[in-house]
Amino acid sequence: MTSFERLKKILKELPGIGDKSSERLIFFLISKGKDFSKELSESILELSENMKVCSICGSIDETDPCSICSSGKRDESILMVLEKPRDLFIFERTKRFNGLYHILGGLISPLDGITPEKLSFEKLLQRVENGKIKEIIIALSPSTEGETTTIYLTKLLKDKVERITTIARGIPFGTDFEYIDDFTLQCSVEKRQNID
Amino acid sequence: MHVKNLSIVNFRNFSSKLYTFEDRTMITGVNGSGKTSIIEAIYYLTNFKSFRTSNDKKLIKIGEDSFIINLEGERGGEDFVLGIMYKDTKKLLSINGNRVSKLINGFGFFVSVIFSTYDKLLSDRVALYRRKFVDRLISTIDNEYFENLIQYHSILKRRNFILKEEGDKRLLETYSVQLSERSLYLYERRLEFITYFEDVLNQLYEKVFERKGLVKVKYFSSKDGGDFKDIPLLEKFKTNFSFEKQKKRTMFGPHLDDILITVESIPVSDFGSEGEKTLLGITLKIAELNLIYENIGEYPVVLIDDAFSELDRIKTNKLLEIFESYPQVIITFPKKWENLENYKIIDLDREKR
Ligand SMILES: Nc1ncnc2c1ncn2[C@@H]1O[C@H](COP(=O)(O)OP(=O)(O)OP(=O)(O)O)[C@@H](O)[C@H]1O
Ligand SMILES: [Mg+2]
Ligand SMILES: [Zn+2]
């Protein structure tokens, strides 16, 4: 395999990158010269060496526990359950939520082999049993799987925590948080609803 | 809605052909001359699917690698050209020469309804065809129904998987909740529909038989073992947990329901003669025609392929009278049907030789 082919193969594993765009990227890199490539590859390497999965909430940060879990300034009585670390970045950007997070690491989808044991429900139960949490906001994407996981969680947490809420619907079914603007997202947290 | 010209390339037994249609067109020709194939090509531009096979490859002329259908027509007073090319399992659609990137955006652009020997299946003992027919019909006029239906079936698949694999009980209950929620809208719309069907079927039977109130339509609800009751599906799942566990699949819900049609108190699917079943199938399709008209304000093109072969002459003529009020009818007959004087004739035997 030539070095061109080697890079093309690895680039294509990135989300949204196919044959054509990987070739375009490679030609861009060649035109930018050696220094740029060095900087790029070193920063990627540094990122992967420094990034750690937080052993408490499951998000990704340079420290473990992460800066949110170890902050001391966050409201420890309220916990937001999210699907993936990327969602946490999106919610933090709105700067309206001051509680803690819990990342599930996916949504229940048994046909794809994602059964409840594969997600961090156990860890969540442990955090709840430690006592301080009064409210859990379930903020999963409005898809069939998101709904399944929400109902499942509600059944799991029933009687274990004072209040369980979900972010307000109004987010169209089947959309990823990534494509929702900050304002809508903020509103959805503020107008959250109790689940019965 | 009108078809003016149809051009087909490498479609079924045709290499390259152009046909022109009038308000009334009859296609004749011996068996195997290609009558059904022409009707099939026209209908293909409604659903982008054939009505007689789900395998699009079978439509490509043997030895070729693609087919093209172009249809020039008129809709809402405006001319259009709709074209589709099928190659390498891909369907490329264009409207007035512009590529349509998603096939789904072309649905409903050209609307036709096909009457064929398959309509008899609608009166079959097997509920599947009836259920699919009703679902498709409500879906074409109600997007919310369509979405609920798709979600219902995707949740059903997962629920069945959990029952089969004896998975997590809490997850099973979760799917029960979701399924029950989706079923609400499906029930609501289907029950409304039953009443509509009964009306339309009675009107049509009255025209054909000149007798009133012959037809009764009832909804068979699997969760209630008969007449629909206003009890959530979820309750049924709760009380039948061990039964479903033993059967390893979902035993109640809209996916197992049926509509029961009786003509003069006799259930057609169980006791009907071949002609009676055909007639019921055709009447259901006429109900579809009318419903589409009420919803889009335009009559679909009526395509009739061998649909009357099991009916006697009197009923055939009565039905043709009913179709008289539709703006465009394209019909196939193996031989010329002497009663169709005002029809343009496309004679496939003559043109071949
Ligand atoms: N993919 C194909 N390639 C070539 N020929 C085909 C293909 N598919 C079907 N045929 C042939 O095309 C001919 C026309 O079939 P079609 O069903 O349209 O005939 P028809 O006129 O409707 O006949 P009938 O009166 O029996 O209903 C048949 O001889 C059939 O074998
Ligand atoms: Mg035929
Ligand atoms: Zn953390």
Side-chain angles (χ1 to χ4, degrees), chain A residues 108-111 114-117 143-149 151-153 155-156 160 173, chain B residues 147 151 154-155 157-158 161-162 168-175 177-179 181-182 238:
Chain A
I108 299 173
S109 181
L111 294 172
I114 310 176
T115 49
E117 313 88 72
S143 59
T144 317
E145 284 88 7
E147 191 187 76
T148 303
T149 313
I151 299 172
Y152 185 89
L153 258 174
K155 288 181 180 288
L156 187 75
K160 295 197 171 78
F173 208 77
Chain B
E147 276 182 16
Q151 287 173 19
S154 98
I155 297 162
K157 203 164 137 195
R158 290 153 212 216
F161 180 80
I162 297 298
D168 196 325
K169 188 170 176 215
R170 190 179 287 120
L171 187 52
L172 181 69
E173 289 168 1
T174 299
Y175 287 137
V177 171
Q178 287 183 286
L179 214 51
E181 218 170 72
R182 298 304 189 287
K238 276 183 187 159

Side-chain angles (χ1 to χ4, degrees), chain B residues 134-135 137-152 155 177-194 219 223 228-233 253-255 257 295:
Chain B
V134 172
D135 281 342
L137 210 51
I138 309 178
S139 293
T140 49
I141 60 162
D142 183 353
N143 257 327
E144 193 178 340
Y145 185 88
F146 188 51
E147 276 182 16
N148 269 283
L149 190 69
I150 289 178
Q151 287 173 19
Y152 181 91
I155 297 162
V177 171
Q178 287 183 286
L179 214 51
S180 184
E181 218 170 72
R182 298 304 189 287
S183 74
L184 292 177
Y185 194 68
L186 301 183
Y187 284 131
E188 189 189 315
R189 291 297 273 146
R190 284 188 186 180
L191 289 168
E192 270 173 36
F193 222 71
I194 296 301
Y219 193 78
K223 83 176 160 63
F228 179 82
K229 293 192 190 75
D230 211 357
I231 301 164
L233 190 53
H255 66 289
D257 295 355
N295 276 276

Side-chain angles (χ1 to χ4, degrees), chain A residues 7-18:
Chain A
L7 182 58
K8 183 173 163 181
K9 191 163 167 256
I10 187 93
L11 282 176
K12 275 171 65 181
E13 287 184 30
L14 296 172
I17 307 282

